[in-house]
Amino acid sequence: MAHRFDIKTSKLKNVNKPIIVLMNKKTGSSGEFVTIALSGLKNATLLGVNTTGLTSANQEHKLADSAFLVLTEGSTIDYKGKAFDVVGKGVTPNILFEKVKDNEAIIKKAKEIIDSRQ
């Protein structure tokens, strides 16, 4: 059974301000949901490396003996209908850094993008 959640649309006050989403392999689960939600905005840039790939939705089911069974029953879909349903694949940024020793290069690029859009 598929579930679709209709959420009230919110409007940003200033859609021209740049949004930079810094992401790496430690970005997972709800962090990935936020990343996917922001990726649909024209002023948002995803920057870094692929996320962890934990974009599924889990549901708890209480059993007769009071134990719980947790099943993966859904995955995240973006504004364009793209499903993020492969565990471990993650979200690919707009600007991908192949090899990152530290976050300095990513932060430097984020500052460049923000400065260029001011």
Side-chain angles (χ1 to χ4, degrees), residues 80-94:
K80 296 177 183 177
K82 178 183 175 186
F84 294 85
D85 54 0
V86 178
V87 175
K89 184 175 180 185
V91 180
T92 303
N94 302 112

Side-chain angles (χ1 to χ4, degrees), residues 24-79:
N24 63 22
K25 283 293 183 191
K26 293 182 180 180
T27 306
S29 194
S30 56
E32 288 175 298
F33 297 151
V34 172
T35 300
I36 291 167
L38 292 173
S39 70
L41 302 175
K42 65 180 179 180
N43 59 322
T45 302
L46 309 182
L47 191 60
V49 299
N50 278 29
T51 62
T52 303
L54 301 174
T55 55
S56 61
N58 300 325
Q59 181 65 49
E60 294 180 353
H61 300 276
K62 190 171 184 178
L63 303 177
D65 65 354
S66 296
F68 284 91
L69 174 65
V70 181
L71 298 174
T72 300
E73 297 182 354
S75 60
T76 306
I77 299 173
D78 71 7
Y79 297 107

Side-chain angles (χ1 to χ4, degrees), residues 90-104:
V91 180
T92 303
N94 302 112
I95 301 174
L96 178 66
F97 285 74
E98 293 292 334
K99 296 180 182 179
V100 179
K101 293 181 183 176
D102 59 43
N103 291 327
E104 290 303 315

